[in-house]
């Protein structure tokens, strides 16, 4: 697929209003609790960025005890010119978890409509687009991997150190 030059991603919902989520001190806010999955994916695909710019705001959820942002946008850059743009909000349709991202490589573009639904299209226009749908819940797969590592001593597919790096970036 060649090197990746850009990633765009979004995560929109209007659902996380549990008391622990509403408080910055308990949840870390939308970027740390919600958009973190997309930041993690970015680091997995592109490595840690050299620069990051973020802006966040609380626009509509102004009720008492709600002090986390409900909109956020982030731009990440690498010294070689690559970039990623991630945005998230908690002001969209209640109960609908809209997430999608695209990864643009030298030879192929991958567009993901969900955790396990992707369309890969060659950039030269000569090949056919190929859709791949999984059927495996990635969160269940993570738990299975963790249980296996504990039981057998095998290494995790996604080591905990990667999560620490993602938290640092967020």
């Amino acid at each position: 697929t060649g090197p990746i030059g850009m990633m765009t991603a979004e995560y929109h919902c209007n659902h996380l209003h549990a008391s622990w989520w509403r408080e910055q001190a308990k949840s870390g806010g939308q970027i740390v609790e919600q958009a973190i999955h997309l930041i993690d994916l970015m680091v997995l695909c592109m490595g840690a960025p050299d620069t990051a710019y973020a802006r966040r705001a609380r626009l509509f959820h102004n009720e008492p005890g709600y002090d986390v942002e409900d909109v956020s946008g982030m731009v990440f850059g690498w010294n070689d010119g690559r970039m990623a743009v991630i945005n998230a909000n908690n002001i969209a349709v209640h109960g609908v978890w809209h997430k999608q991202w695209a990864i643009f490589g030298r030879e192929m573009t991958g567009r993901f409509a969900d955790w396990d639904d992707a369309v890969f299209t060659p950039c030269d226009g000569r090949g056919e687009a190929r859709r791949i749908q999984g059927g495996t819940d990635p969160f269940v797969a993570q738990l299975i991997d963790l249980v296996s590592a504990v039981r057998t001593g095998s290494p995790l597919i996604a080591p905990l150190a990667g999560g620490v790096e993602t938290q640092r970036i967020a």
Side-chain angles (χ1 to χ4, degrees):
T1 61
I4 295 171
M6 182 175 210
M7 176 181 168
T8 61
E10 56 187 48
Y11 197 130
H12 306 288
C13 69
N14 191 352
H15 188 71
L16 297 173
H17 302 291
S19 61
W20 66 268
W21 196 89
R22 300 160 59 99
E23 296 180 41
Q24 183 80 27
K26 292 180 180 176
S27 71
Q30 179 190 54
I31 292 174
V32 172
E33 203 285 324
Q34 184 179 3
I36 195 78
H37 301 296
L38 297 171
I39 297 169
D40 197 37
L41 182 63
M42 174 194 74
V43 172
L44 176 68
C45 293
M46 300 177 74
D50 297 305
T51 61
Y53 172 80
R55 185 164 180 141
R56 62 188 186 149
R58 183 167 40 101
L59 299 177
F60 301 137
H61 297 298
N62 294 310
E63 52 271 14
Y66 199 113
D67 67 355
V68 300
E69 70 274 18
D70 54 17
V71 297
S72 61
M74 296 154 276
V75 177
F76 301 93
W78 287 260
N79 290 340
D80 61 6
R82 295 176 297 140
M83 63 179 64
V85 178
I86 298 174
N87 66 78
N89 79 59
N90 196 28
I91 60 174
V93 178
H94 181 77
V96 175
W97 298 84
H98 170 82
K99 53 199 168 297
Q100 66 181 21
W101 58 95
I103 298 173
F104 302 91
R106 175 180 291 155
E107 299 168 16
M108 188 167 298
T109 293
R111 294 189 176 277
F112 299 78
D114 206 340
W115 302 120
D116 63 350
D117 185 357
V119 175
F120 296 95
T121 307
C123 293
D124 62 10
R126 288 186 257 162
E128 293 288 320
R130 190 178 67 213
R131 184 172 188 182
I132 298 174
Q133 290 181 289
T136 301
D137 182 319
F139 300 106
V140 171
Q142 285 177 332
L143 292 174
I144 291 169
D145 183 48
L146 177 63
V147 169
S148 175
V150 169
R151 286 184 177 161
T152 67
S154 61
L156 289 167
I157 292 171
L160 295 176
V164 172
E165 176 67 3
T166 300
Q167 287 289 327
R168 183 192 67 75
I169 292 167

